[in-house]
Amino acid sequence: MSSKSAAPPPGMEALNTAPSSAAGSSSGISSSTHGGGEKTPLYEAYPVNSILELTLSPDKEVVQGLVYCTDEISKTIVLKRSSAHTTLASEIQVVNADCVLEKKVLTAAAAAGNSNRNGGTKNEKGENNIDEELAFPLPNVSKKAVEERERRAMKLAEDRLRHVNPKATPEGEAVFEKLLKACNEVVWSGESILVLSQIKVDPPYGSENCKLVQRGGDVALNAESLERVKRIVEAV
């Protein structure tokens, strides 16, 4: 009877010989799956406001930063990092979660108080990497303020949409925008531009194409308004 054991199935050799991951704050990409093969959500694997060091494939690039947010649909992690050599306070980097080979948690190190006089933390090599201020909790967002900002943006978009005339030439659009900034009350009337309901600018939108469409009232004021519109049109 032979004493040799049966050869392991293909692929098992790597499992038998692969070294176990180090205990502590370092973990490989396999740590983001449960025992049954179900993947851990990104918001659990990469908690918001934690400071991480990630090793990325294919070149084993190492990046550090504070987790600003994660997105399950695009499978991305957004890191916020301090910028030491620019005028910006911080920069944003988007990382593909599938490219993460190894994850190391640095939050405890950042909170341990080993900061320098500039408010940054140092790694084992004594190099500045993450500012402590990046580890502060994210500020609360006012729902009312966000909704008001959205309302203003929608109104601005609707106003700009009303000012678009697909029949007008680029020159006409340029004249319309210039008059709108100067007079506010400017609308399209077919391919012509109507200013203050009194003055009409017809194609090809030159100063000689400006004319009064509403007679009566203060004649001097109407003449002055017409001359002003002509000067604006000539400046375009």
Side-chain angles (χ1 to χ4, degrees):
M1 188 172 179
S2 175
S3 61
K4 293 182 178 180
S5 60
M12 290 298 293
E13 297 89 340
L15 294 178
N16 293 334
T17 58
S20 59
S21 60
S25 59
S26 295
S27 62
I29 189 66
S30 60
S31 63
S32 62
T33 58
H34 295 299
E38 182 182 352
K39 290 186 177 180
T40 302
L42 291 180
Y43 64 84
E44 292 184 5
Y46 306 93
V48 170
N49 208 41
S50 61
I51 298 177
L52 304 179
E53 178 181 283
L54 305 178
T55 303
L56 309 178
S57 64
D59 301 323
K60 294 187 177 181
E61 177 189 3
V62 177
V63 296
Q64 295 179 357
L66 177 134
V67 179
Y68 191 77
C69 65
T70 58
D71 182 65
E72 299 291 339
I73 297 178
S74 60
K75 295 183 179 179
T76 53
I77 309 154
V78 179
L79 298 179
K80 186 177 180 181
R81 305 187 300 175
S82 59
S83 299
H85 304 293
T86 67
T87 57
L88 300 176
S90 59
E91 62 183 7
I92 297 295
Q93 180 175 2
V94 181
V95 176
N96 187 341
D98 291 335
C99 294
V100 179
L101 299 175
E102 186 178 3
K103 175 184 68 176
K104 183 177 180 182
V105 180
L106 303 179
T107 303
N114 57 338
S115 60
N116 61 7
R117 62 180 181 177
N118 294 325
T121 60
K122 294 186 177 181
N123 56 20
E124 293 83 352
K125 297 180 181 179
E127 300 171 337
N128 293 334
N129 44 31
I130 308 295
D131 283 344
E132 284 184 342
E133 64 184 34
L134 295 183
F136 291 165
L138 297 177
N140 293 327
V141 177
S142 170
K143 184 179 179 181
K144 183 178 180 180
V146 171
E147 291 175 346
E148 177 63 20
R149 185 175 180 181
E150 180 185 18
R151 187 190 64 80
R152 290 198 304 267
M154 290 292 293
K155 185 178 183 303
L156 181 61
E158 291 172 355
D159 290 342
R160 292 192 64 85
L161 187 61
R162 285 197 297 267
H163 298 156
V164 175
N165 187 351
K167 297 181 181 180
T169 62
E171 293 78 12
E173 289 285 358
V175 171
F176 183 93
E177 290 293 333
K178 194 76 173 181
L179 289 170
L180 183 63
K181 292 178 180 179
C183 305
N184 288 327
E185 291 186 41
V186 181
V187 296
W188 285 104
S189 177
E191 295 183 18
S192 300
I193 302 172
L194 189 60
V195 184
L196 300 173
S197 300
Q198 295 178 340
I199 303 167
K200 193 175 183 181
V201 184
D202 295 320
Y205 312 105
S207 60
E208 65 278 4
N209 306 118
C210 302
K211 61 182 180 180
L212 285 171
V213 295
Q214 196 173 51
R215 302 292 180 178
D218 191 331
V219 178
L221 181 61
N222 291 341
E224 183 181 347
S225 298
L226 179 60
E227 288 302 317
R228 184 187 178 199
V229 168
K230 286 183 177 182
R231 288 196 298 270
I232 295 173
V233 171
E234 287 176 350
V236 177

